[in-house]
Amino acid sequence: PLFEALSMQVAEITIAGPGFINIRLSDQTIFDQALAAPSTKLQTFAGQTVVSEYSDPNPFKVLHAGHLYTSVVGDAISRLIQAAGGEVHAVNFGGDVGLHVGKTMWAIVQDVGGEKPELLQNIAPAERAEWMAKKYVVGTQAYETDEQAKTQIIELNKRVYQVHAEGDTDTPFAQMYWTCRQWSYDYFNEFYARLGTAFEKYYPESQTAPIGVATVKEQLAKGVYQESDGAIVFVGEPYGLHTRVFINSAGLPTYEAKDVGLMMAKWHDYHFDKSIIITGNDIIEYMKVVLKSIEQFAPEFVQRTTHLTHGQVKLEGGVKMSSRKGNFLRAVDVLDAAAKANKQATGRDDEQAVLGAVKYAFLKQRIGPDIIYNPEESVSLEGNSGPYLMYAHARARSILAKAASPEYMAGDEGFELQPLERSLARDIARYPQVVQKAVTDLMPHHICTYLYELAQTFNRFYEKNRVIGDPREAQRLVLVALYADVLKDGLQLLGIVAPNRL
RNA sequence: GCACCUGUAGCUCAGCUGGAUAGAGCGUUGGCUUGCGGAGCCAAAGGCCAGAGGUUCGAAUCCUCUCAGGUGCACCA
């Protein structure tokens, strides 16, 4: 029976040199596979609960290019997992407590002239995020150059923890803190909405910190963590890692403890089958230590966790950046550069095209190394770009709009494809395998590479073959429809909207 | 110093669970295109896959070393 089934699908088997056998599928088989391609359902994550953490901006600070990048990548990966049957919960972790908050709050209090929450109303809503970012820079500089300021900032940092511990919403300082904190979250939400991504839950460090502290102290008693110079640390050397502080000598949790708390909170909330954390690659070693420490008391959490890391976003031409001075590449700088380039290239303002351009430019590259972003190239309608594929999709839809909806008659005897039809059908048929690879590797760029190749194959076909009015119109229309569907589906997996008309 | 990441065409990148002649885009050069949205198509030039060893029938891909660039190494996040 297997042989019989095969013989229906295989057109030819040839020896193709030493060690190679070529098996040519029948046109009917290729065509059937193409027909099934756009609607294939993958099962890799079927029935699994997946927590996907990415973006992770800190309240009281500005969103930089890296946040834009990780948001785009994290969104695409979440969509991939979802497409493979997973139930994805996108979450976001950020520091609403910690030294940077102390620095910013210190500068804010200085700037408005005391702990007077009513004075915050002088800051116009549109300027709040920018204003706070500047205060962070001022606070950071003061912390480094002014001993007295440093002492005050450390004190404020403790007070912020206290505000949380006591549930303080009344004192003037607490009111200022809560107001500014909310400004940050408003600013984040607006940004994510613009990108077309959304988070189910924010895990502020103020929430994970107490959990982390409790967990670390509990495991301290069991010997997982150790005391050292008044701090609580995890000694990583036995595992080939380094030692890190989880609770500092002042008794405050560091990022490490907050991350431990985050892991516990995620588990408590979701009982995940898989936990994916997407961050910059500067914290690879850090994360290894944190995970190794958790592995000592909750190995299954760590087994289910994947830490994906990516490089930094740099603008082509390389502007020197210094986060200390606050003149690094911000998320809006990237979007503005793309919008400007798009306006120049097309003469129009088109938010979807700009977003498609930026997302595609980020996603087409393998996750890992730094990415060099070129705004002009990203918005170009020629070459391997988001707008090019969006256009390709619109053009295909336009062909379809001119014809009656295609009907494919299955089971024709002696069904044959012409060479350019065949290569198009073959490329379409490959789609599920490509998505499968992207899902398995958690690498969206495979989809980009494929979609662009598909568009090229289509253009070669389209160059030489009339669709409407041709004797082969019926099956060609089917191919065009499948092509458009695959493009739309693929772009959608990347988080890119593919309108029928541009 | 130790650890990790990266090194493929002029530029930006695919290809990396080993397999046929290493592929795209941009840029350069030369053609095509009165037509379903020509934003395209065809072709040329351009590579010691950083370098050297090793494993293998076979290496851009795996291992070792060297070189170059980047990042991280206790109370920041």
PDB file of all heavy atoms in Angstrom, chain A residues 475-500:
ATOM      1  N   GLN A 475      -6.515  27.276 -13.122  1.00  0.00           N
ATOM      2  CA  GLN A 475      -5.502  26.822 -12.161  1.00  0.00           C
ATOM      3  C   GLN A 475      -4.506  27.913 -11.818  1.00  0.00           C
ATOM      4  O   GLN A 475      -3.953  27.941 -10.728  1.00  0.00           O
ATOM      5  CB  GLN A 475      -4.806  25.566 -12.651  1.00  0.00           C
ATOM      6  CG  GLN A 475      -3.943  25.720 -13.858  1.00  0.00           C
ATOM      7  CD  GLN A 475      -3.766  24.352 -14.517  1.00  0.00           C
ATOM      8  OE1 GLN A 475      -4.729  23.629 -14.751  1.00  0.00           O
ATOM      9  NE2 GLN A 475      -2.539  23.993 -14.785  1.00  0.00           N
ATOM     10  N   ARG A 476      -4.299  28.842 -12.744  1.00  0.00           N
ATOM     11  CA  ARG A 476      -3.406  29.959 -12.418  1.00  0.00           C
ATOM     12  C   ARG A 476      -4.028  30.856 -11.344  1.00  0.00           C
ATOM     13  O   ARG A 476      -3.325  31.349 -10.460  1.00  0.00           O
ATOM     14  CB  ARG A 476      -3.071  30.769 -13.679  1.00  0.00           C
ATOM     15  CG  ARG A 476      -2.078  30.030 -14.552  1.00  0.00           C
ATOM     16  CD  ARG A 476      -1.668  30.798 -15.769  1.00  0.00           C
ATOM     17  NE  ARG A 476      -0.734  29.997 -16.552  1.00  0.00           N
ATOM     18  CZ  ARG A 476      -0.337  30.305 -17.786  1.00  0.00           C
ATOM     19  NH1 ARG A 476      -0.798  31.392 -18.385  1.00  0.00           N
ATOM     20  NH2 ARG A 476       0.516  29.533 -18.400  1.00  0.00           N
ATOM     21  N   LEU A 477      -5.318  31.057 -11.444  1.00  0.00           N
ATOM     22  CA  LEU A 477      -5.986  31.858 -10.417  1.00  0.00           C
ATOM     23  C   LEU A 477      -5.877  31.188  -9.052  1.00  0.00           C
ATOM     24  O   LEU A 477      -5.700  31.853  -8.033  1.00  0.00           O
ATOM     25  CB  LEU A 477      -7.458  32.053 -10.774  1.00  0.00           C
ATOM     26  CG  LEU A 477      -7.773  33.238 -11.700  1.00  0.00           C
ATOM     27  CD1 LEU A 477      -9.245  33.248 -12.041  1.00  0.00           C
ATOM     28  CD2 LEU A 477      -7.360  34.560 -11.069  1.00  0.00           C
ATOM     29  N   VAL A 478      -5.976  29.880  -9.059  1.00  0.00           N
ATOM     30  CA  VAL A 478      -5.816  29.158  -7.796  1.00  0.00           C
ATOM     31  C   VAL A 478      -4.429  29.424  -7.222  1.00  0.00           C
ATOM     32  O   VAL A 478      -4.265  29.712  -6.025  1.00  0.00           O
ATOM     33  CB  VAL A 478      -6.027  27.640  -7.999  1.00  0.00           C
ATOM     34  CG1 VAL A 478      -5.665  26.886  -6.732  1.00  0.00           C
ATOM     35  CG2 VAL A 478      -7.463  27.353  -8.385  1.00  0.00           C
ATOM     36  N   LEU A 479      -3.437  29.369  -8.072  1.00  0.00           N
ATOM     37  CA  LEU A 479      -2.069  29.615  -7.602  1.00  0.00           C
ATOM     38  C   LEU A 479      -1.902  31.038  -7.073  1.00  0.00           C
ATOM     39  O   LEU A 479      -1.271  31.258  -6.046  1.00  0.00           O
ATOM     40  CB  LEU A 479      -1.069  29.354  -8.738  1.00  0.00           C
ATOM     41  CG  LEU A 479      -0.846  27.885  -9.099  1.00  0.00           C
ATOM     42  CD1 LEU A 479       0.050  27.756 -10.324  1.00  0.00           C
ATOM     43  CD2 LEU A 479      -0.234  27.123  -7.928  1.00  0.00           C
ATOM     44  N   VAL A 480      -2.486  31.999  -7.778  1.00  0.00           N
ATOM     45  CA  VAL A 480      -2.386  33.391  -7.326  1.00  0.00           C
ATOM     46  C   VAL A 480      -3.069  33.549  -5.965  1.00  0.00           C
ATOM     47  O   VAL A 480      -2.545  34.214  -5.066  1.00  0.00           O
ATOM     48  CB  VAL A 480      -3.011  34.355  -8.364  1.00  0.00           C
ATOM     49  CG1 VAL A 480      -3.039  35.780  -7.818  1.00  0.00           C
ATOM     50  CG2 VAL A 480      -2.241  34.309  -9.668  1.00  0.00           C
ATOM     51  N   ALA A 481      -4.227  32.917  -5.829  1.00  0.00           N
ATOM     52  CA  ALA A 481      -4.959  33.010  -4.560  1.00  0.00           C
ATOM     53  C   ALA A 481      -4.159  32.377  -3.416  1.00  0.00           C
ATOM     54  O   ALA A 481      -4.075  32.938  -2.317  1.00  0.00           O
ATOM     55  CB  ALA A 481      -6.316  32.332  -4.696  1.00  0.00           C
ATOM     56  N   LEU A 482      -3.551  31.232  -3.700  1.00  0.00           N
ATOM     57  CA  LEU A 482      -2.747  30.569  -2.674  1.00  0.00           C
ATOM     58  C   LEU A 482      -1.545  31.423  -2.307  1.00  0.00           C
ATOM     59  O   LEU A 482      -1.202  31.577  -1.132  1.00  0.00           O
ATOM     60  CB  LEU A 482      -2.269  29.202  -3.185  1.00  0.00           C
ATOM     61  CG  LEU A 482      -3.349  28.140  -3.345  1.00  0.00           C
ATOM     62  CD1 LEU A 482      -2.798  26.936  -4.090  1.00  0.00           C
ATOM     63  CD2 LEU A 482      -3.887  27.724  -1.983  1.00  0.00           C
ATOM     64  N   TYR A 483      -0.935  31.990  -3.307  1.00  0.00           N
ATOM     65  CA  TYR A 483       0.215  32.867  -3.106  1.00  0.00           C
ATOM     66  C   TYR A 483      -0.168  34.039  -2.206  1.00  0.00           C
ATOM     67  O   TYR A 483       0.523  34.345  -1.222  1.00  0.00           O
ATOM     68  CB  TYR A 483       0.689  33.341  -4.474  1.00  0.00           C
ATOM     69  CG  TYR A 483       1.597  34.545  -4.485  1.00  0.00           C
ATOM     70  CD1 TYR A 483       2.903  34.470  -4.014  1.00  0.00           C
ATOM     71  CD2 TYR A 483       1.151  35.765  -5.017  1.00  0.00           C
ATOM     72  CE1 TYR A 483       3.737  35.579  -4.058  1.00  0.00           C
ATOM     73  CE2 TYR A 483       1.979  36.871  -5.072  1.00  0.00           C
ATOM     74  CZ  TYR A 483       3.274  36.780  -4.585  1.00  0.00           C
ATOM     75  OH  TYR A 483       4.094  37.873  -4.632  1.00  0.00           O
ATOM     76  N   ALA A 484      -1.276  34.672  -2.519  1.00  0.00           N
ATOM     77  CA  ALA A 484      -1.724  35.818  -1.721  1.00  0.00           C
ATOM     78  C   ALA A 484      -2.040  35.387  -0.289  1.00  0.00           C
ATOM     79  O   ALA A 484      -1.693  36.089   0.675  1.00  0.00           O
ATOM     80  CB  ALA A 484      -2.951  36.462  -2.366  1.00  0.00           C
ATOM     81  N   ASP A 485      -2.667  34.237  -0.164  1.00  0.00           N
ATOM     82  CA  ASP A 485      -3.005  33.750   1.175  1.00  0.00           C
ATOM     83  C   ASP A 485      -1.751  33.462   2.004  1.00  0.00           C
ATOM     84  O   ASP A 485      -1.699  33.754   3.202  1.00  0.00           O
ATOM     85  CB  ASP A 485      -3.854  32.479   1.088  1.00  0.00           C
ATOM     86  CG  ASP A 485      -5.276  32.792   0.632  1.00  0.00           C
ATOM     87  OD1 ASP A 485      -5.647  33.982   0.621  1.00  0.00           O
ATOM     88  OD2 ASP A 485      -6.005  31.845   0.279  1.00  0.00           O
ATOM     89  N   VAL A 486      -0.766  32.869   1.365  1.00  0.00           N
ATOM     90  CA  VAL A 486       0.478  32.568   2.077  1.00  0.00           C
ATOM     91  C   VAL A 486       1.184  33.858   2.484  1.00  0.00           C
ATOM     92  O   VAL A 486       1.668  33.997   3.609  1.00  0.00           O
ATOM     93  CB  VAL A 486       1.410  31.675   1.227  1.00  0.00           C
ATOM     94  CG1 VAL A 486       2.808  31.624   1.826  1.00  0.00           C
ATOM     95  CG2 VAL A 486       0.840  30.269   1.121  1.00  0.00           C
ATOM     96  N   LEU A 487       1.227  34.811   1.564  1.00  0.00           N
ATOM     97  CA  LEU A 487       1.845  36.096   1.896  1.00  0.00           C
ATOM     98  C   LEU A 487       1.157  36.735   3.098  1.00  0.00           C
ATOM     99  O   LEU A 487       1.806  37.200   4.032  1.00  0.00           O
ATOM    100  CB  LEU A 487       1.752  37.061   0.709  1.00  0.00           C
ATOM    101  CG  LEU A 487       2.826  37.005  -0.369  1.00  0.00           C
ATOM    102  CD1 LEU A 487       2.546  38.082  -1.410  1.00  0.00           C
ATOM    103  CD2 LEU A 487       4.209  37.213   0.219  1.00  0.00           C
ATOM    104  N   LYS A 488      -0.155  36.741   3.047  1.00  0.00           N
ATOM    105  CA  LYS A 488      -0.912  37.382   4.118  1.00  0.00           C
ATOM    106  C   LYS A 488      -0.676  36.663   5.440  1.00  0.00           C
ATOM    107  O   LYS A 488      -0.434  37.287   6.472  1.00  0.00           O
ATOM    108  CB  LYS A 488      -2.406  37.380   3.780  1.00  0.00           C
ATOM    109  CG  LYS A 488      -3.218  38.269   4.715  1.00  0.00           C
ATOM    110  CD  LYS A 488      -4.700  38.219   4.354  1.00  0.00           C
ATOM    111  CE  LYS A 488      -5.505  39.197   5.180  1.00  0.00           C
ATOM    112  NZ  LYS A 488      -5.387  40.588   4.703  1.00  0.00           N
ATOM    113  N   ASP A 489      -0.728  35.341   5.375  1.00  0.00           N
ATOM    114  CA  ASP A 489      -0.547  34.549   6.584  1.00  0.00           C
ATOM    115  C   ASP A 489       0.867  34.718   7.141  1.00  0.00           C
ATOM    116  O   ASP A 489       1.054  34.889   8.348  1.00  0.00           O
ATOM    117  CB  ASP A 489      -0.809  33.068   6.269  1.00  0.00           C
ATOM    118  CG  ASP A 489      -0.990  32.249   7.533  1.00  0.00           C
ATOM    119  OD1 ASP A 489      -2.050  32.384   8.163  1.00  0.00           O
ATOM    120  OD2 ASP A 489      -0.060  31.502   7.897  1.00  0.00           O
ATOM    121  N   GLY A 490       1.832  34.696   6.265  1.00  0.00           N
ATOM    122  CA  GLY A 490       3.225  34.846   6.691  1.00  0.00           C
ATOM    123  C   GLY A 490       3.484  36.213   7.304  1.00  0.00           C
ATOM    124  O   GLY A 490       4.097  36.326   8.359  1.00  0.00           O
ATOM    125  N   LEU A 491       2.990  37.247   6.655  1.00  0.00           N
ATOM    126  CA  LEU A 491       3.175  38.597   7.192  1.00  0.00           C
ATOM    127  C   LEU A 491       2.455  38.737   8.524  1.00  0.00           C
ATOM    128  O   LEU A 491       2.961  39.378   9.450  1.00  0.00           O
ATOM    129  CB  LEU A 491       2.664  39.639   6.188  1.00  0.00           C
ATOM    130  CG  LEU A 491       3.550  39.838   4.948  1.00  0.00           C
ATOM    131  CD1 LEU A 491       2.863  40.706   3.909  1.00  0.00           C
ATOM    132  CD2 LEU A 491       4.891  40.446   5.336  1.00  0.00           C
ATOM    133  N   GLN A 492       1.304  38.131   8.602  1.00  0.00           N
ATOM    134  CA  GLN A 492       0.548  38.194   9.855  1.00  0.00           C
ATOM    135  C   GLN A 492       1.336  37.538  10.992  1.00  0.00           C
ATOM    136  O   GLN A 492       1.340  38.032  12.117  1.00  0.00           O
ATOM    137  CB  GLN A 492      -0.815  37.512   9.650  1.00  0.00           C
ATOM    138  CG  GLN A 492      -1.769  37.623  10.826  1.00  0.00           C
ATOM    139  CD  GLN A 492      -1.673  36.412  11.739  1.00  0.00           C
ATOM    140  OE1 GLN A 492      -1.414  35.309  11.286  1.00  0.00           O
ATOM    141  NE2 GLN A 492      -1.887  36.624  13.025  1.00  0.00           N
ATOM    142  N   LEU A 493       2.030  36.443  10.681  1.00  0.00           N
ATOM    143  CA  LEU A 493       2.869  35.800  11.696  1.00  0.00           C
ATOM    144  C   LEU A 493       3.983  36.734  12.165  1.00  0.00           C
ATOM    145  O   LEU A 493       4.466  36.628  13.280  1.00  0.00           O
ATOM    146  CB  LEU A 493       3.505  34.525  11.136  1.00  0.00           C
ATOM    147  CG  LEU A 493       2.618  33.297  11.064  1.00  0.00           C
ATOM    148  CD1 LEU A 493       3.385  32.134  10.454  1.00  0.00           C
ATOM    149  CD2 LEU A 493       2.110  32.919  12.448  1.00  0.00           C
ATOM    150  N   LEU A 494       4.370  37.635  11.292  1.00  0.00           N
ATOM    151  CA  LEU A 494       5.425  38.588  11.643  1.00  0.00           C
ATOM    152  C   LEU A 494       4.852  39.820  12.334  1.00  0.00           C
ATOM    153  O   LEU A 494       5.597  40.713  12.736  1.00  0.00           O
ATOM    154  CB  LEU A 494       6.178  39.013  10.383  1.00  0.00           C
ATOM    155  CG  LEU A 494       6.848  37.882   9.592  1.00  0.00           C
ATOM    156  CD1 LEU A 494       7.413  38.409   8.290  1.00  0.00           C
ATOM    157  CD2 LEU A 494       7.945  37.215  10.410  1.00  0.00           C
ATOM    158  N   GLY A 495       3.535  39.868  12.437  1.00  0.00           N
ATOM    159  CA  GLY A 495       2.912  41.042  13.050  1.00  0.00           C
ATOM    160  C   GLY A 495       2.755  42.191  12.068  1.00  0.00           C
ATOM    161  O   GLY A 495       2.597  43.336  12.461  1.00  0.00           O
ATOM    162  N   ILE A 496       2.798  41.866  10.775  1.00  0.00           N
ATOM    163  CA  ILE A 496       2.692  42.907   9.753  1.00  0.00           C
ATOM    164  C   ILE A 496       1.338  42.799   9.059  1.00  0.00           C
ATOM    165  O   ILE A 496       0.934  41.719   8.627  1.00  0.00           O
ATOM    166  CB  ILE A 496       3.832  42.765   8.717  1.00  0.00           C
ATOM    167  CG1 ILE A 496       5.183  42.987   9.402  1.00  0.00           C
ATOM    168  CG2 ILE A 496       3.634  43.749   7.566  1.00  0.00           C
ATOM    169  CD1 ILE A 496       6.382  42.701   8.524  1.00  0.00           C
ATOM    170  N   VAL A 497       0.660  43.921   8.985  1.00  0.00           N
ATOM    171  CA  VAL A 497      -0.657  43.956   8.358  1.00  0.00           C
ATOM    172  C   VAL A 497      -0.500  44.008   6.838  1.00  0.00           C
ATOM    173  O   VAL A 497       0.300  44.789   6.329  1.00  0.00           O
ATOM    174  CB  VAL A 497      -1.434  45.196   8.839  1.00  0.00           C
ATOM    175  CG1 VAL A 497      -2.796  45.258   8.188  1.00  0.00           C
ATOM    176  CG2 VAL A 497      -1.560  45.184  10.356  1.00  0.00           C
ATOM    177  N   ALA A 498      -1.247  43.160   6.149  1.00  0.00           N
ATOM    178  CA  ALA A 498      -1.165  43.135   4.686  1.00  0.00           C
ATOM    179  C   ALA A 498      -2.500  43.543   4.087  1.00  0.00           C
ATOM    180  O   ALA A 498      -3.379  42.709   3.864  1.00  0.00           O
ATOM    181  CB  ALA A 498      -0.770  41.745   4.208  1.00  0.00           C
ATOM    182  N   PRO A 499      -2.693  44.830   3.811  1.00  0.00           N
ATOM    183  CA  PRO A 499      -3.967  45.281   3.245  1.00  0.00           C
ATOM    184  C   PRO A 499      -4.121  44.826   1.794  1.00  0.00           C
ATOM    185  O   PRO A 499      -3.128  44.555   1.124  1.00  0.00           O
ATOM    186  CB  PRO A 499      -3.877  46.808   3.337  1.00  0.00           C
ATOM    187  CG  PRO A 499      -2.432  47.123   3.433  1.00  0.00           C
ATOM    188  CD  PRO A 499      -1.748  45.922   4.005  1.00  0.00           C
ATOM    189  N   ASN A 500      -5.361  44.750   1.323  1.00  0.00           N
ATOM    190  CA  ASN A 500      -5.606  44.329  -0.047  1.00  0.00           C
ATOM    191  C   ASN A 500      -5.260  45.411  -1.055  1.00  0.00           C
ATOM    192  O   ASN A 500      -5.024  45.126  -2.215  1.00  0.00           O
ATOM    193  CB  ASN A 500      -7.076  43.924  -0.215  1.00  0.00           C
ATOM    194  CG  ASN A 500      -7.387  42.646   0.544  1.00  0.00           C
ATOM    195  OD1 ASN A 500      -6.469  41.961   1.010  1.00  0.00           O
ATOM    196  ND2 ASN A 500      -8.661  42.337   0.679  1.00  0.00           N
TER     197      ASN A 500
END
